[in-house]
Amino acid sequence: MEQAYGAGKAGGTFDPITFFQQPQIILRIVSWIFSIVIFGCIANEGYVNRPDEVEEFCIFNRNQNACNYAVGMGSLAFLCCAVFMALDVYFPQISSVKDRKKAVLADIGVSAFWSFVWFVGFCFLANQWQVAKPEDNPLKEGGDAARAAITFAFFSIFTWAGQAFLAFQRYKLGASSSLFSQDYTDPSQDPAGVPAAGTEYTGYSPDMEANYDGSGGYQNQDY
């Protein structure tokens, strides 16, 4: 089967079972779940206070930046996963190989970026959790949520790196058939190759008459 960047020619039917069995889709779903866990843990249990205080502070050494980082990156990663899953659904319908190449390159760059973001987030959260003072949280509230956020930030490094690797494999695969030229576009989607509605194609153009020298037609005979 001829493929271009991991998908066949445009126009095929969508098969949900095959779609969700793809490795990159599995990793996207896992990353999507991890981002929800990180965001949810910090948003719900990431702020604590002492018994004699009313205002709540970030559980990570009272560093508001740590909680903001986890909540913000978790929310953005969730949206990013949703966008790229939608692109994965639409990807087989992209008829232009150049557009497919751009989509795969974007996948590589974005996935590598998020892997780096979660590496920074893991190091940041782990460091702030390590230096947190026990007296700031004497009741030890939210400890499980903080450790869960750190753990899933660590796992997210590898799920996003895996997505970048799989996208790079698709990029190396490229167009596996000569039928997929770099300028290929599905004729049904190319307005230049389809006559306008209500017109009849005759196969005639003025250039045909101008370039005709009469050598292929009837020749007069001299008697």
Side-chain angles (χ1 to χ4, degrees):
M1 177 179 179
E2 296 82 7
Q3 291 192 342
Y5 297 100
K9 280 192 163 185
T13 58
F14 176 72
D15 184 0
I17 297 178
T18 303
F19 175 77
F20 286 106
Q21 288 178 343
Q22 296 179 76
Q24 72 267 19
I25 302 302
I26 296 174
L27 285 178
R28 290 201 207 285
I29 294 174
V30 172
S31 299
W32 184 69
I33 295 173
F34 286 175
S35 66
I36 295 175
V37 173
I38 296 169
F39 167 82
C41 286
I42 303 303
N44 292 329
E45 301 184 50
Y47 297 88
V48 297
N49 57 0
R50 297 173 183 171
D52 57 345
E53 294 177 332
V54 176
E55 183 181 0
E56 293 184 334
F57 298 90
C58 178
I59 195 172
F60 294 101
N61 196 33
R62 297 200 166 196
N63 187 342
Q64 189 66 25
N65 292 330
C67 287
N68 290 340
Y69 188 95
V71 172
M73 294 303 101
S75 303
L76 292 176
F78 172 84
L79 295 175
C80 188
C81 285
V83 169
F84 272 89
M85 284 188 66
L87 178 61
D88 289 330
V89 173
Y90 178 70
F91 188 82
Q93 305 303 321
I94 300 177
S95 59
S96 172
V97 174
K98 289 184 178 180
D99 290 341
R100 289 191 180 191
K101 181 179 180 180
K102 293 177 183 177
V104 172
L105 288 175
D107 193 359
I108 295 173
V110 171
S111 298
F113 168 77
W114 276 109
S115 181
F116 173 75
V117 165
W118 286 122
F119 173 76
V120 173
F122 165 74
C123 294
F124 186 27
L125 296 178
N127 173 261
Q128 293 301 302
W129 179 248
Q130 186 177 14
V131 299
K133 301 178 180 62
E135 57 268 23
D136 290 336
N137 186 17
L139 301 179
K140 297 182 179 181
E141 298 175 322
D144 291 339
R147 285 186 287 269
I150 295 172
T151 301
F152 285 104
F154 176 75
F155 289 155
S156 295
I157 299 172
F158 300 100
T159 58
W160 284 101
Q163 292 179 61
F165 174 76
L166 292 175
F168 181 69
Q169 292 295 106
R170 291 162 62 195
Y171 175 77
K172 289 202 307 180
L173 177 65
S176 63
S177 171
S178 60
L179 295 177
F180 279 105
S181 66
Q182 290 298 313
D183 296 323
Y184 171 80
T185 302
D186 191 342
S188 63
Q189 301 182 20
D190 184 6
V194 180
T199 62
E200 179 180 357
Y201 176 73
T202 62
Y204 171 81
S205 68
D207 292 338
M208 295 173 61
E209 182 176 352
N211 295 330
Y212 177 68
D213 59 3
S215 61
Y218 175 77
Q219 296 182 356
N220 293 327
Q221 300 294 328
D222 294 333
Y223 296 96

